[in-house]
mmCIF file of all heavy atoms in Angstrom:
data_model
loop_
_atom_site.group_PDB
_atom_site.id
_atom_site.type_symbol
_atom_site.label_atom_id
_atom_site.label_comp_id
_atom_site.label_asym_id
_atom_site.label_seq_id
_atom_site.Cartn_x
_atom_site.Cartn_y
_atom_site.Cartn_z
ATOM 1 N N LEU A 584 76.799 96.484 143.773
ATOM 2 C CA LEU A 584 77.647 95.721 142.828
ATOM 3 C C LEU A 584 78.998 95.341 143.462
ATOM 4 O O LEU A 584 79.698 94.564 142.860
ATOM 5 C CB LEU A 584 77.882 96.485 141.586
ATOM 6 C CG LEU A 584 76.644 96.817 140.748
ATOM 7 C CD1 LEU A 584 76.991 97.692 139.532
ATOM 8 C CD2 LEU A 584 76.013 95.423 140.257
ATOM 9 N N ALA A 585 79.364 95.856 144.590
ATOM 10 C CA ALA A 585 80.578 95.545 145.233
ATOM 11 C C ALA A 585 80.786 94.102 145.420
ATOM 12 O O ALA A 585 79.939 93.416 146.056
ATOM 13 C CB ALA A 585 80.742 96.295 146.641
ATOM 14 N N GLY A 615 85.443 115.964 126.960
ATOM 15 C CA GLY A 615 84.565 115.914 125.806
ATOM 16 C C GLY A 615 84.480 114.632 125.095
ATOM 17 O O GLY A 615 85.005 113.592 125.655
ATOM 18 N N PHE A 619 86.579 111.193 126.110
ATOM 19 C CA PHE A 619 85.845 110.027 126.620
ATOM 20 C C PHE A 619 86.078 108.813 125.692
ATOM 21 O O PHE A 619 86.325 107.666 126.240
ATOM 22 C CB PHE A 619 84.354 110.353 126.617
ATOM 23 C CG PHE A 619 83.492 109.292 127.364
ATOM 24 C CD1 PHE A 619 83.857 108.913 128.674
ATOM 25 C CD2 PHE A 619 82.385 108.709 126.755
ATOM 26 C CE1 PHE A 619 83.088 108.005 129.359
ATOM 27 C CE2 PHE A 619 81.693 107.764 127.402
ATOM 28 C CZ PHE A 619 81.954 107.424 128.695
ATOM 29 N N LEU A 624 88.877 103.522 125.066
ATOM 30 C CA LEU A 624 89.767 102.730 124.355
ATOM 31 C C LEU A 624 90.987 102.266 125.163
ATOM 32 O O LEU A 624 91.524 101.148 124.900
ATOM 33 C CB LEU A 624 90.210 103.448 123.011
ATOM 34 C CG LEU A 624 89.217 103.702 121.962
ATOM 35 C CD1 LEU A 624 89.733 104.620 120.845
ATOM 36 C CD2 LEU A 624 88.622 102.425 121.419
ATOM 37 N N GLY A 654 80.166 100.442 120.431
ATOM 38 C CA GLY A 654 79.362 99.285 120.607
ATOM 39 C C GLY A 654 79.359 98.788 122.027
ATOM 40 O O GLY A 654 79.288 97.587 122.264
ATOM 41 N N VAL A 666 56.654 115.330 141.625
ATOM 42 C CA VAL A 666 55.204 115.434 141.095
ATOM 43 C C VAL A 666 54.524 116.542 141.940
ATOM 44 O O VAL A 666 54.557 116.523 143.174
ATOM 45 C CB VAL A 666 54.551 114.123 141.378
ATOM 46 C CG1 VAL A 666 53.101 114.168 140.965
ATOM 47 C CG2 VAL A 666 55.233 113.054 140.608
ATOM 48 N N ALA A 682 64.364 131.165 134.384
ATOM 49 C CA ALA A 682 63.947 131.335 135.860
ATOM 50 C C ALA A 682 64.293 132.706 136.285
ATOM 51 O O ALA A 682 63.538 133.373 137.051
ATOM 52 C CB ALA A 682 64.528 130.195 136.651
ATOM 53 N N GLU A 689 60.634 139.111 145.759
ATOM 54 C CA GLU A 689 61.760 139.976 146.074
ATOM 55 C C GLU A 689 62.842 139.386 146.916
ATOM 56 O O GLU A 689 63.918 139.824 146.986
ATOM 57 C CB GLU A 689 61.239 141.270 146.647
ATOM 58 C CG GLU A 689 60.373 142.131 145.742
ATOM 59 C CD GLU A 689 61.147 142.566 144.540
ATOM 60 O OE1 GLU A 689 62.344 142.832 144.617
ATOM 61 O OE2 GLU A 689 60.478 142.529 143.432
ATOM 62 N N ARG A 690 62.448 138.234 147.712
ATOM 63 C CA ARG A 690 63.394 137.638 148.531
ATOM 64 C C ARG A 690 63.454 136.108 148.088
ATOM 65 O O ARG A 690 62.539 135.347 148.381
ATOM 66 C CB ARG A 690 63.081 137.704 150.020
ATOM 67 C CG ARG A 690 63.172 139.205 150.407
ATOM 68 C CD ARG A 690 62.935 139.395 151.919
ATOM 69 N NE ARG A 690 63.966 138.736 152.798
ATOM 70 C CZ ARG A 690 65.112 139.249 153.110
ATOM 71 N NH1 ARG A 690 65.442 140.489 152.608
ATOM 72 N NH2 ARG A 690 66.006 138.621 153.847
ATOM 73 N N GLN A 708 66.978 141.847 143.346
ATOM 74 C CA GLN A 708 66.396 141.131 144.443
ATOM 75 C C GLN A 708 67.466 140.632 145.455
ATOM 76 O O GLN A 708 68.650 140.529 145.165
ATOM 77 C CB GLN A 708 65.573 139.835 143.971
ATOM 78 C CG GLN A 708 64.255 140.277 143.317
ATOM 79 C CD GLN A 708 64.411 140.237 141.769
ATOM 80 O OE1 GLN A 708 65.481 140.575 141.225
ATOM 81 N NE2 GLN A 708 63.303 139.954 141.074
ATOM 82 N N LEU A 711 68.911 134.280 148.937
ATOM 83 C CA LEU A 711 69.519 133.203 149.758
ATOM 84 C C LEU A 711 70.037 132.036 148.877
ATOM 85 O O LEU A 711 69.187 131.427 148.151
ATOM 86 C CB LEU A 711 68.562 132.695 150.803
ATOM 87 C CG LEU A 711 68.971 131.463 151.605
ATOM 88 C CD1 LEU A 711 70.115 131.819 152.507
ATOM 89 C CD2 LEU A 711 67.766 130.957 152.495
ATOM 90 N N PRO A 717 81.305 126.884 148.041
ATOM 91 C CA PRO A 717 81.045 128.311 147.717
ATOM 92 C C PRO A 717 80.780 128.554 146.268
ATOM 93 O O PRO A 717 81.276 127.797 145.400
ATOM 94 C CB PRO A 717 82.363 128.969 148.217
ATOM 95 C CG PRO A 717 82.975 128.063 149.227
ATOM 96 C CD PRO A 717 82.596 126.660 148.764
ATOM 97 N N VAL A 719 80.823 129.929 142.449
ATOM 98 C CA VAL A 719 81.852 130.294 141.502
ATOM 99 C C VAL A 719 81.318 131.399 140.551
ATOM 100 O O VAL A 719 80.157 131.287 140.173
ATOM 101 C CB VAL A 719 82.389 129.080 140.708
ATOM 102 C CG1 VAL A 719 83.049 128.108 141.578
ATOM 103 C CG2 VAL A 719 81.223 128.341 139.984
ATOM 104 N N VAL A 722 77.928 136.752 141.459
ATOM 105 C CA VAL A 722 76.649 136.516 142.167
ATOM 106 C C VAL A 722 75.881 137.830 142.317
ATOM 107 O O VAL A 722 76.562 138.896 142.212
ATOM 108 C CB VAL A 722 76.923 135.815 143.591
ATOM 109 C CG1 VAL A 722 77.557 134.529 143.388
ATOM 110 C CG2 VAL A 722 77.712 136.794 144.447
ATOM 111 N N HIS A 727 73.057 136.172 150.346
ATOM 112 C CA HIS A 727 73.578 135.490 151.584
ATOM 113 C C HIS A 727 73.801 134.039 151.226
ATOM 114 O O HIS A 727 72.851 133.294 150.659
ATOM 115 C CB HIS A 727 72.494 135.552 152.646
ATOM 116 C CG HIS A 727 72.838 134.755 153.953
ATOM 117 N ND1 HIS A 727 73.813 135.214 154.839
ATOM 118 C CD2 HIS A 727 72.443 133.587 154.309
ATOM 119 C CE1 HIS A 727 73.941 134.369 155.814
ATOM 120 N NE2 HIS A 727 73.152 133.341 155.495
ATOM 121 N N ARG A 732 74.508 120.646 153.012
ATOM 122 C CA ARG A 732 74.279 119.512 152.180
ATOM 123 C C ARG A 732 73.171 118.670 152.732
ATOM 124 O O ARG A 732 73.031 118.458 153.944
ATOM 125 C CB ARG A 732 75.550 118.639 152.147
ATOM 126 C CG ARG A 732 75.538 117.455 151.159
ATOM 127 C CD ARG A 732 76.614 116.370 151.579
ATOM 128 N NE ARG A 732 77.959 116.892 151.747
ATOM 129 C CZ ARG A 732 78.945 116.726 150.801
ATOM 130 N NH1 ARG A 732 78.713 116.034 149.693
ATOM 131 N NH2 ARG A 732 80.153 117.233 151.073
ATOM 132 N N LEU A 752 60.753 130.386 145.897
ATOM 133 C CA LEU A 752 61.822 129.367 145.825
ATOM 134 C C LEU A 752 62.071 129.075 144.381
ATOM 135 O O LEU A 752 61.188 129.012 143.519
ATOM 136 C CB LEU A 752 61.346 128.128 146.490
ATOM 137 C CG LEU A 752 62.117 126.835 146.369
ATOM 138 C CD1 LEU A 752 63.461 126.961 146.992
ATOM 139 C CD2 LEU A 752 61.379 125.591 146.856
ATOM 140 N N LYS A 755 65.636 123.237 140.595
ATOM 141 C CA LYS A 755 65.603 122.383 139.396
ATOM 142 C C LYS A 755 64.800 121.102 139.732
ATOM 143 O O LYS A 755 64.760 120.673 140.885
ATOM 144 C CB LYS A 755 66.996 121.994 139.024
ATOM 145 C CG LYS A 755 67.877 123.177 138.468
ATOM 146 C CD LYS A 755 69.264 122.622 138.160
ATOM 147 C CE LYS A 755 70.098 123.760 137.544
ATOM 148 N NZ LYS A 755 71.516 123.251 137.302
ATOM 149 N N ASP A 756 64.258 120.461 138.675
ATOM 150 C CA ASP A 756 63.516 119.302 138.936
ATOM 151 C C ASP A 756 64.463 118.116 139.103
ATOM 152 O O ASP A 756 64.494 117.225 138.147
ATOM 153 C CB ASP A 756 62.476 119.036 137.792
ATOM 154 C CG ASP A 756 61.645 117.857 138.025
ATOM 155 O OD1 ASP A 756 61.520 117.337 139.143
ATOM 156 O OD2 ASP A 756 61.106 117.313 136.992
ATOM 157 N N GLY A 758 64.387 115.721 141.478
ATOM 158 C CA GLY A 758 63.789 114.582 141.975
ATOM 159 C C GLY A 758 64.520 114.023 143.250
ATOM 160 O O GLY A 758 65.523 114.615 143.630
ATOM 161 N N ALA A 764 62.307 118.241 150.700
ATOM 162 C CA ALA A 764 61.539 118.947 151.821
ATOM 163 C C ALA A 764 61.269 120.358 151.489
ATOM 164 O O ALA A 764 60.257 120.955 152.001
ATOM 165 C CB ALA A 764 62.343 118.766 153.002
ATOM 166 N N ILE A 778 60.401 126.350 138.930
ATOM 167 C CA ILE A 778 61.043 125.100 138.729
ATOM 168 C C ILE A 778 61.511 124.813 137.346
ATOM 169 O O ILE A 778 60.698 125.018 136.408
ATOM 170 C CB ILE A 778 60.087 123.966 139.345
ATOM 171 C CG1 ILE A 778 60.932 122.686 139.394
ATOM 172 C CG2 ILE A 778 58.817 123.884 138.575
ATOM 173 C CD1 ILE A 778 60.184 121.571 140.330
ATOM 174 N N PRO A 788 68.527 103.345 126.324
ATOM 175 C CA PRO A 788 67.864 102.634 127.357
ATOM 176 C C PRO A 788 67.913 103.407 128.685
ATOM 177 O O PRO A 788 68.979 103.977 129.093
ATOM 178 C CB PRO A 788 68.633 101.282 127.527
ATOM 179 C CG PRO A 788 69.226 101.133 126.151
ATOM 180 C CD PRO A 788 69.564 102.471 125.677
ATOM 181 N N SER A 792 65.556 103.293 138.606
ATOM 182 C CA SER A 792 65.917 102.884 139.911
ATOM 183 C C SER A 792 67.223 102.003 139.878
ATOM 184 O O SER A 792 67.658 101.555 138.807
ATOM 185 C CB SER A 792 64.852 101.995 140.500
ATOM 186 O OG SER A 792 64.645 100.808 139.738
ATOM 187 N N ALA A 794 67.441 99.121 141.202
ATOM 188 C CA ALA A 794 67.013 97.804 140.881
ATOM 189 C C ALA A 794 66.839 97.581 139.347
ATOM 190 O O ALA A 794 67.155 96.523 138.764
ATOM 191 C CB ALA A 794 65.623 97.501 141.480
ATOM 192 N N TRP A 799 69.054 95.257 134.306
ATOM 193 C CA TRP A 799 69.684 95.445 133.007
ATOM 194 C C TRP A 799 71.073 94.828 132.886
ATOM 195 O O TRP A 799 71.416 94.228 131.852
ATOM 196 C CB TRP A 799 69.822 96.964 132.764
ATOM 197 C CG TRP A 799 70.420 97.334 131.390
ATOM 198 C CD1 TRP A 799 69.775 97.559 130.223
ATOM 199 C CD2 TRP A 799 71.784 97.736 131.162
ATOM 200 N NE1 TRP A 799 70.586 97.960 129.278
ATOM 201 C CE2 TRP A 799 71.857 98.103 129.829
ATOM 202 C CE3 TRP A 799 72.909 97.857 131.944
ATOM 203 C CZ2 TRP A 799 73.002 98.467 129.192
ATOM 204 C CZ3 TRP A 799 74.064 98.217 131.350
ATOM 205 C CH2 TRP A 799 74.207 98.471 129.970
#
Side-chain angles (χ1 to χ4, degrees):
L584 293 175
F619 190 54
L624 290 173
V666 177
E689 295 299 322
R690 296 184 65 83
Q708 286 96 331
L711 172 63
V719 294
V722 299
H727 177 76
R732 188 200 306 255
L752 170 67
K755 293 178 175 179
D756 183 21
I778 187 163
S792 66
W799 181 85

